[in-house]
Amino acid sequence: MGISKREMGIVVVMLTGVVLAVLNQTLLSPALPAIMADMGVDMWAAS
């Protein structure tokens, strides 16, 4: 018994998705106001 290659691949893909989601939240969220200001977009247009 153990983890098959397919199951390990699924786990790797899911963990990669979690890491990317965390990076998106931690890196993009603080930068978003500056990006919006540079592009001349208000909060309502961005959402």
Side-chain angles (χ1 to χ4, degrees):
M1 246 175 139
I3 297 176
S4 70
K5 250 185 170 178
R6 183 169 191 253
E7 291 171 336
M8 183 58 78
I10 292 170
V11 169
V12 168
V13 168
M14 290 180 70
L15 287 176
T16 302
V18 168
V19 168
L20 290 175
V22 168
L23 284 176
N24 183 38
Q25 281 299 108
T26 58
L27 296 177
L28 190 58
S29 292
L32 204 51
I35 293 170
M36 289 170 43
D38 288 343
M39 298 180 89
V41 178
D42 64 354
M43 182 176 65
W44 303 112
S47 63

